Amino acid sequence: MSARLWFCWGFLPLGALLLMGASRIHTHPAPGNLPLMVVFSAEQHGYLTPCGCSKPMLGGMPRRGEYLSQLAQKYSLIRVENGNLTKALDRQDELKAETLIEMFNAMNYDAINLGDKDFRLGLNYLLALEKRSKTPFLCANVQRQGALVFKPSVEVERDHEGKAQRFLIVGVVSEKGEAKIKSVNPDLTVQPVSEALQAMHETLSKPDTVKILLFQGRRADAEQIAKDHPQFHMIVYAQEGDHYSPARTVGQTVLVCNGQDGKYMGQSKLSANPDARLGQIEYVALGPDYADSSLIMQIKMAYLSRVEAENLLGQVQKRPTLNGDTFAGSAACEPCHQQDYRIWKASRHGDALKTLEDDKHDKDPECVVCHVVGLDMVSGFRNMQETPNLKDVGCESCHGPAAKHVKDPTIQLGKAGMDSCMQCHVPQHSPRFDFDTYWEKIKHGGSK
Ligand code: HEC
Ligand code: HEC
Ligand code: HEC
Ligand code: HEC
């Protein structure tokens, strides 16, 4: 490994190396004669890195960076992304979209298709985002006043074992997403995919070109497209859950889907068979075997700084508490419940915000919500300066706000139990949760 690195670096003057290191992932100069591989993925959904709540977890852009630079040593790569970069719900998703574009810039992507969720960011925002992108945004079937807003396709040429090979990459979004797209962009219309592809007939007939369709839509519709438009060698589809789907073929078209959240990457070697140019499909789990690319990690850390600078933590919507009481903080319980307090303090709940500080996620509302008391409630955690007594998963995370009980202990609190746990121990963050075994580790309340 280190010998190969040394060998490649020997080709480059130091200045060039620093320059590349500064802005792009080190992809190694292609020595020529490399075979060609297409790498595809979709629906990153704003999942920049695994949260780390349980281990091991799959996915994350820093691992993708490392995966791609390993592949680039052996293959000439085409890199395509099939849309829905984020869930497009709020300001944090805008920051994530901008961060992802910087990451794709650093990873030399060739095409980014747009999904219905991307359009939910708003057309003007998307156009501004496209200006920051070195990679073209594709959409062959969304129009404004009868004209396409984004490029329908992009042509790419790459070396395949010493010879140039042409690719045509087309992007479309399922017309089933029209209502969602129009709810934010009333002046846009979504043309049926088959109509849009019909209109591209001439482009799609180009000889000696490998044709890939990025389709932001479901498998059944992808199969229909493959029947109606057999020119495509590969259709990348989406919306199948977070696991990859086995490749299938319709005629000479191979249909592929790597699943949501970027946990798996799809890859396909170019084969010599002219009827099945993209035959061999493999899916690769982005597990801890892939180290984090330090460049992509830097971009992620810059994102966290923006989350902090914009004080997203301070802008979380607060709803009223269920029992109308306010939070008192765990320290207020200690004088009367000393043993419960000791057990709690020694448990992992008693240090849960520190865990986020160590990961630099302690100003990130997406994480803080489950690692403190009542972030999304009136009188709950705001920040370490104003509400230090509500840091960590405290007594009131499970027993509910208890200020009245603190003043007058004859005022009873609601029963805590399994339901309290399920606010936070959801499968995505605590896949091994089981009430009996988990309660055993934190049990208390026997004596006061
Ligand atoms: C829906 C609630 C929830 C959210 C949101 C959440 N966490 Fe967690 N986190 C948990 C729970 C529950 C555990 C304990 C899981 C277990 O042990 O079963 C945990 C544990 C952890 C741990 C400790 C893992 C270990 O074993 O040492 C880390 C680190 C962590 N979370 C980081 C984060 C980060 C970073 C984010 C945001 C990107 C985040 N969490 C968002 C609920 C959440
Ligand atoms: C992770 C959730 C959780 C945390 C944190 C927690 N508790 Fe509990 N507690 C429970 C559950 C569940 C029970 C058992 C069910 C019950 O009796 O309400 C319980 C039981 C109790 C009881 C006995 C209830 C009874 O009816 O006899 C007391 C008192 C108590 N907790 C106080 C505390 C105090 C004080 C703290 C903080 C120092 C705390 N708890 C932290 C979940 C929690
Ligand atoms: C001034 C003393 C005092 C303080 C402070 C206090 N408690 Fe209590 N707590 C009691 C007493 C006494 C009981 C038993 C009351 C009873 O049995 O009627 C009790 C009972 C409980 C119970 C079990 C019965 C119930 O009401 O559900 C829970 C849970 C509880 N306390 C949680 C808390 C939490 C959480 C805090 C801090 C926010 C807290 N207590 C603060 C004195 C206190
Ligand atoms: C407000 C969110 C929240 C609630 C409610 C909650 N937890 Fe947790 N729990 C966490 C977080 C976050 C961690 C990880 C803390 C860390 O390591 O930083 C955790 C960790 C744990 C752990 C340690 C896991 C390990 O592997 O050692 C146990 C056990 C646990 N919780 C049990 C419970 C039980 C039982 C309940 C319900 C009675 C409960 N939790 C309710 C957020 C919560």
Side-chain angles (χ1 to χ4, degrees):
M1 189 65 198
S2 61
R4 175 190 276 152
L5 276 178
W6 183 87
F7 170 79
C8 291
W9 286 18
F11 276 59
L12 288 167
L14 187 62
L17 191 69
L18 289 176
L19 208 73
M20 286 173 67
S23 62
R24 296 226 150 184
I25 287 205
H26 189 170
T27 45
H28 300 268
N33 294 329
L34 289 181
L36 206 144
M37 179 181 271
V38 175
V39 178
F40 57 90
S41 50
E43 295 182 292
Q44 195 60 29
H45 280 170
Y47 190 69
L48 298 177
T49 49
C51 59
C53 296
S54 74
K55 294 187 179 72
M57 277 185 167
L58 299 181
M61 298 301 287
R63 286 180 188 157
R64 185 190 296 204
E66 172 63 20
Y67 158 82
L68 287 173
S69 46
Q70 284 183 18
L71 277 186
Q73 294 175 29
K74 290 189 253 161
Y75 297 95
S76 164
L77 292 180
I78 300 253
R79 305 159 178 88
V80 296
E81 179 68 27
N82 188 19
N84 286 354
L85 301 184
T86 74
K87 294 186 178 167
L89 299 174
D90 53 19
R91 175 63 186 154
Q92 191 153 1
D93 282 328
E94 291 182 354
L95 296 185
K96 285 181 177 178
E98 288 161 32
T99 304
L100 282 166
I101 291 306
E102 273 180 62
M103 290 173 171
F104 290 129
N105 282 347
M107 294 187 288
N108 301 303
Y109 262 67
D110 294 290
I112 297 175
N113 187 34
L114 297 175
D116 51 344
K117 295 196 176 96
D118 298 314
F119 278 100
R120 205 154 69 194
L121 292 167
L123 180 61
N124 287 337
Y125 182 84
L126 263 187
L127 289 167
L129 194 62
E130 192 192 27
K131 288 214 177 79
R132 298 169 64 150
S133 176
K134 293 180 187 161
T135 309
F137 287 4
L138 302 183
C139 187
N141 66 326
V142 168
Q143 301 185 336
R144 184 173 47 184
Q145 290 159 2
L148 287 178
V149 193
F150 294 96
K151 286 189 192 66
S153 63
V154 59
E155 272 186 67
V156 179
E157 210 174 79
R158 274 305 125 78
D159 254 21
H160 174 55
E161 294 173 340
K163 283 202 296 275
Q165 172 63 54
R166 237 194 347 255
F167 282 76
L168 176 75
I169 306 162
V170 180
V172 287
V173 59
S174 168
E175 59 263 31
K176 290 180 180 154
E178 175 160 30
K180 280 192 208 154
I181 292 172
K182 284 181 79 86
S183 69
V184 178
N185 310 281
D187 55 337
L188 296 184
T189 51
V190 184
Q191 226 187 334
V193 170
S194 59
E195 226 172 77
L197 294 178
Q198 210 68 59
M200 295 176 73
H201 185 74
E202 211 165 300
T203 318
L204 292 181
S205 310
K206 278 193 185 152
D208 305 325
T209 303
V210 176
K211 290 154 201 140
I212 300 176
L213 179 68
L214 302 179
F215 170 58
Q216 186 50 240
R218 291 178 164 275
R219 183 175 68 208
D221 298 325
E223 284 172 358
Q224 191 57 48
I225 296 172
K227 284 179 196 143
D228 298 345
H229 304 275
Q231 303 97 321
F232 289 109
H233 295 87
M234 171 186 272
I235 300 181
V236 184
Y237 63 95
Q239 302 173 17
E240 290 277 302
D242 67 355
H243 203 270
Y244 63 83
S245 308
R248 62 193 65 215
T249 48
V250 173
Q252 62 150 1
T253 310
V254 58
L255 273 61
V256 296
C257 176
N258 74 309
Q260 296 168 337
D261 303 345
K263 295 181 177 176
Y264 302 89
M265 296 297 294
Q267 57 185 52
S268 167
K269 286 180 205 160
L270 191 71
S271 89
N273 178 357
D275 291 332
R277 296 311 306 270
L278 293 169
Q280 309 168 53
I281 308 296
E282 279 179 283
Y283 293 104
V284 177
L286 289 187
D289 292 352
Y290 289 99
D292 287 335
S293 142
S294 56
L295 171 57
I296 302 300
M297 207 46 164
Q298 272 173 36
I299 300 175
K300 145 98 195 271
M301 295 322 270
Y303 152 81
L304 285 181
S305 306
R306 292 185 71 194
V307 169
E308 179 171 357
E310 293 199 11
N311 187 24
L312 296 187
L313 193 58
Q315 291 161 41
V316 172
Q317 294 281 322
K318 309 275 183 186
R319 56 191 165 87
T321 57
L322 277 176
N323 64 3
D325 200 354
T326 54
F327 293 102
S330 306
C333 322
E334 187 185 10
C336 307
H337 296 286
Q338 290 188 8
Q339 188 176 337
D340 300 325
Y341 187 88
R342 261 198 311 277
I343 294 171
W344 168 76
K345 195 64 207 158
S347 78
R348 295 257 305 273
H349 288 147
D351 223 8
L353 189 58
K354 173 75 168 44
T355 303
L356 294 185
E357 282 165 10
D358 295 344
D359 279 2
K360 309 257 182 297
H361 273 282
D362 54 311
K363 306 288 178 345
D364 179 353
E366 285 187 349
C367 310
V368 173
V369 64
C370 290
H371 286 247
V372 300
V373 178
L375 177 69
D376 54 355
M377 281 180 259
V378 172
S379 84
F381 182 87
R382 287 192 297 278
N383 55 55
M384 275 304 284
Q385 288 68 46
E386 294 174 79
T387 53
N389 55 333
L390 298 177
K391 73 180 170 83
D392 307 324
V393 178
C395 315
E396 293 163 292
S397 291
C398 298
H399 292 289
K404 286 181 184 149
H405 170 86
V406 167
K407 289 211 190 81
D408 175 2
T410 62
I411 295 176
Q412 297 254 311
L413 298 169
K415 204 96 184 127
M418 170 95 155
D419 287 353
S420 336
C421 318
M422 296 321 289
Q423 303 169 67
C424 305
H425 285 267
V426 294
Q428 196 194 338
H429 294 273
S430 187
R432 284 177 285 276
F433 183 76
D434 163 71
F435 182 78
D436 293 337
T437 48
Y438 272 58
W439 170 249
E440 198 53 38
K441 294 192 194 177
I442 62 157
K443 75 173 173 211
H444 60 278
S447 60
K448 276 150 199 147

